[in-house]
């Protein structure tokens, strides 16, 4: 909550605030107390639930980059994430970002969205923010089976590569996603993940390409 208070005053624009998933935290901590990963995860989830109760951002997003390597944990990982989100104030949109890891430009986790579909359908979220630019869009059809009340955010910018996409490339990626899933399911387009490892000049140009590609797609549809 203190971090949110510090950042809230920096902008008059709608603000997204992110927290790390309790499952991801449990997978990266040394457990010297619980002796059970699920119990540890739920304990962390309760701490996070208490911390988000005063965060009135436009969007509260949980970030998860470890589960793709262990999809068998999906149902109870979703239970822990839902517990965190149960503390979010009314009127705040709830989101989950899932990627396959990003450390030094490397994909850390191996897996498939198909295996994670039960996890996605167990979530109490308004939208998902997903990685597609780096992975490719072959698994887009999987999300035809996502429950209809969850909107999608589609990654169209590769953050593991210094090459800057053209607006035409971005527009094509959006168009393919819309053709497969329908415009009503795709609420957001965005980078695959964060830009932390890229030079600022590259990140700025990629964001510019994202906006230009979005505008190009919208103009073509109009």
């Amino acid at each position: 909550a203190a971090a949110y208070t510090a950042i809230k005053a920096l902008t008059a624009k709608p603000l997204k605030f992110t927290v790390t998933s309790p499952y991801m935290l449990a997978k990266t901590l040394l457990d010297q107390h619980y002796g059970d990963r699920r119990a540890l995860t739920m304990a962390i989830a309760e701490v996070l639930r208490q911390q988000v109760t005063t965060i009135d951002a436009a969007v509260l997003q949980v970030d998860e980059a470890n589960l793709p390597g262990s999809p068998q944990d999906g149902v109870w990982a979703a239970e822990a994430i839902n517990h965190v989100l149960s503390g979010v104030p009314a009127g705040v949109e709830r989101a989950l970002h899932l990627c396959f890891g990003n450390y030094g430009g490397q994909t850390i986790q191996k897996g498939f969205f198909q295996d994670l579909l039960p996890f996605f359908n167990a979530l109490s979220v308004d939208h998902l923010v997903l990685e597609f630019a780096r992975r490719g869009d072959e698994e887009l059809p999987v999300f035809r089976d996502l429950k209809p009340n969850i909107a999608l955010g589609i990654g169209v910018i590769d953050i593991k590569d210094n090459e800057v996409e053209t607006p035409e490339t971005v527009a094509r990626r959006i168009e393919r996603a819309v053709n497969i899933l329908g415009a009503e399911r795709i609420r957001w387009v965005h980078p695959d993940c964060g830009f932390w490892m890229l030079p600022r000049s590259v990140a700025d140009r990629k964001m510019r390409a994202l906006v230009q590609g979005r505008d190009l797609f919208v103009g073509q549809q109009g």
Side-chain angles (χ1 to χ4, degrees), residues 20-169:
T20 304
S21 160
Y23 178 84
M24 185 173 174
L25 287 171
K27 290 291 286 283
T28 56
L29 291 176
L30 178 62
D31 179 10
Q32 296 180 322
H33 177 74
Y34 293 92
D36 178 86
R37 182 168 289 146
R38 184 170 183 174
L40 172 61
T41 301
M42 291 306 298
I44 295 170
E46 172 58 17
V47 173
L48 292 174
R49 184 196 66 79
Q50 294 178 30
Q51 292 189 6
V52 302
T53 56
T54 59
I55 296 176
D56 58 353
V59 178
L60 192 292
Q61 178 176 292
V62 175
D63 290 345
E64 173 57 64
N66 200 290
L67 184 65
S70 305
Q72 69 277 5
D73 295 342
V75 173
W76 63 262
E79 179 184 354
I81 291 169
N82 288 342
H83 188 67
V84 176
L85 294 173
S86 71
V88 174
V92 175
E93 186 154 355
R94 296 169 298 176
L96 177 105
H97 165 59
L98 184 138
C99 72
F100 290 76
N102 175 32
Y103 190 81
Q106 301 301 308
T107 298
I108 307 302
Q109 303 292 335
K110 295 182 180 180
F112 299 96
F113 282 129
Q114 178 65 56
D115 298 331
L116 294 164
L117 190 60
F119 164 73
F120 292 136
N121 280 325
L123 291 171
S124 299
V125 296
D126 298 299
H127 70 267
L128 300 174
V129 175
L130 301 173
E131 169 187 358
F132 281 102
R134 177 60 132 187
R135 289 177 58 79
D137 54 18
E138 291 81 6
E139 284 198 277
L140 278 171
V142 167
F143 293 92
R144 291 170 177 159
D145 295 324
L146 182 69
K147 59 185 181 183
N149 61 307
I150 299 180
L152 287 174
I154 302 297
V156 293
I157 297 290
D158 186 352
I159 52 79
K160 296 184 175 76
D161 195 325
N162 280 311
E163 182 178 356
V164 178
E165 291 84 353
T166 66
E168 290 75 16
T169 295

Side-chain angles (χ1 to χ4, degrees), residues 4 7-17 56-59:
Y4 176 63
I7 198 172
K8 184 178 180 181
L10 300 180
T11 180
K13 301 291 187 181
L15 185 66
K16 175 195 285 188
F17 191 80
D56 58 353
V59 178

